[in-house]
Amino acid sequence: MKGELIFGVIAVLFVASFFYGMAAHPDSEFGGADGQAEDVIADLTGGTYEPWAEDTWFSNLKFEPPGGETESLLFALQAAIGAIVIGYFFGYYRGKGQAS
Amino acid sequence: MHIFEGFLPGPWWQIWFAISIPVIMYGMYKLNNIVKEHRELVPLLALAGAFIFVLSSLKMPSVTGSSSHPTGTGMAAILFGPAITAVLGTIVLLYQALFLAHGGLTTLGANVFSMAIAGPVVAYVIYKAGMKANINFYVVVFLAATLANWVTYVVTSFELALAFPAEVGGVMASFKAFALVFATTQVPLAIMEGALTALIFKYVVQVKSDALVELKVIKDSTLRKLKGTMS
């Protein structure tokens, strides 16, 4: 139980820090830090840097989600696949442990 | 930590590929050995891979007003070492680059290096050092996973700084600018990831501790102590 308790406390602190962040940045949409790096690059280069891989043969290999909905579907799918495997692992070995 | 497609100019994207590819190749060789000779460890391998899959799909908000990812690589690094973790991380990054327009193919080498090589190496070193120093197993796991996550973002800042040195102050000045975005946002997420990894390890100890001993992750004596205190 101790482990779960410590994890719970840290999780609560994390959520609290998020609410503090929401209060401290009322206008923020909590966009990705990955995207903010783009702004830093624009700052550093005076806005002259253009990403270069737009029209290359391999850029056609990729699937670009048409919008936020499809993107969130694929992210959710990624999480779901992982969660199934994790749940199966623990379920299988817990059951096996009880059977023996 | 995902550097977006096309955002690393030459020669940097080639350099990071050149560094990452040999590690991935070595990891695939080691992975092959496990699959061939230690079939009973394959489920644990799947667990470590799935953990990276789940965690890197989550975009978590941070106190700084932006969102970022856990990486999930600490667990695999502790269990299987950095080389195999590099392979698992590459699979995830490739999925995200191909289907989610998240990260990119040209920046894959750099992203693999930061998330799937540098972070795991740090986790592995901290884990080994911490266990040698006889610190509590779960505390060591927490530290290793937390720092693996955090270092991933420090290294990403470094990769970007090298490619985009500031006119005044050069690489160090840009490093500060990128680290301000990445490394600060990451602190609460890194702690959260460390705590989750430690909790998952508790369950692994409960259900499949023999595999931990076989992988030489923990000694038999440590394991008995852990199980003794568990209730």
Side-chain angles (χ1 to χ4, degrees):
Chain A
M1 259 332 271
K2 207 171 125 207
E4 284 83 356
L5 217 65
I6 296 171
F7 176 78
V9 170
I10 293 177
V12 167
L13 286 175
F14 178 82
V15 173
S17 81
F18 168 52
F19 279 120
Y20 171 79
M22 265 170 67
H25 308 275
D27 301 324
S28 172
E29 288 180 1
F30 285 80
D34 296 347
Q36 284 180 7
E38 252 182 278
D39 301 338
V40 178
I41 291 173
D43 273 354
L44 286 169
T45 59
T48 54
Y49 186 76
E50 290 288 331
W52 59 271
E54 306 268 282
D55 285 308
T56 44
W57 62 270
F58 56 79
S59 62
N60 298 323
L61 293 175
K62 293 189 296 181
F63 169 75
E64 293 255 345
E69 303 299 341
T70 317
E71 194 190 313
S72 66
L73 165 75
L74 289 166
F75 267 114
L77 205 60
Q78 187 188 331
I81 293 169
I84 289 170
V85 174
I86 293 174
Y88 183 87
F89 175 90
F90 285 112
Y92 180 80
Y93 286 107
R94 178 148 298 193
K96 209 175 164 187
Q98 275 166 3
S100 63
Chain B
M1 41 88 8
H2 299 87
I3 301 176
F4 286 154
E5 186 74 284
F7 270 92
L8 275 185
W12 293 108
W13 65 271
Q14 295 98 323
I15 289 175
W16 295 116
F17 266 111
I19 296 173
S20 296
I21 287 174
V23 181
I24 298 172
M25 302 272 269
Y26 178 62
M28 283 165 88
Y29 164 77
K30 283 189 72 175
L31 199 65
N32 220 352
N33 273 357
I34 286 197
V35 173
K36 273 203 195 120
E37 286 161 29
H38 300 276
R39 286 217 74 91
E40 71 284 1
L41 295 177
V42 172
L44 204 60
L45 198 63
L47 174 74
F51 193 65
I52 301 177
F53 233 66
V54 174
L55 262 70
S56 66
S57 76
L58 306 173
K59 289 185 263 194
M60 292 167 80
S62 170
V63 67
T64 54
S66 50
S67 296
S68 191
H69 294 268
T71 60
T73 51
M75 175 168 185
I78 290 169
L79 288 174
F80 295 102
I84 288 179
T85 311
V87 179
L88 299 174
T90 304
I91 295 169
V92 174
L93 287 167
L94 201 59
Y95 171 87
Q96 292 181 333
L98 285 175
F99 301 111
L100 290 163
H102 216 76
L105 292 175
T106 60
T107 51
L108 187 66
N111 288 334
V112 165
F113 182 78
S114 63
M115 181 180 122
I117 295 175
V121 166
V122 167
Y124 187 75
V125 169
I126 290 177
Y127 179 75
K128 290 290 175 203
M131 289 313 276
K132 207 162 228 171
N134 245 333
I135 305 170
N136 177 289
F137 172 67
Y138 296 114
V139 174
V140 178
V141 169
F142 168 80
L143 288 176
T146 301
L147 283 162
N149 177 304
W150 192 71
V151 162
T152 297
Y153 283 78
V154 174
V155 170
T156 303
S157 307
F158 189 61
E159 288 171 344
L160 284 166
L162 281 174
F164 298 99
E167 269 173 41
V168 190
V171 172
M172 271 327 281
S174 336
F175 175 71
K176 269 185 205 154
F178 286 115
L180 197 69
V181 170
F182 281 130
T184 51
T185 301
Q186 210 58 31
V187 171
L189 305 199
I191 293 171
M192 194 69 215
E193 172 169 352
L196 183 64
T197 307
L199 186 65
I200 293 278
F201 259 99
K202 181 185 162 183
Y203 299 140
V204 176
V205 168
Q206 277 174 3
V207 303
K208 192 91 177 95
S209 53
D210 52 325
L212 295 179
V213 176
E214 192 180 339
L215 278 166
K216 299 194 178 67
V217 173
I218 42 181
K219 290 200 202 88
D220 232 354
S221 53
T222 327
L223 185 67
R224 252 177 276 130
K225 223 168 72 191
L226 284 176
K227 288 207 150 177
T229 55
M230 223 155 44
S231 52

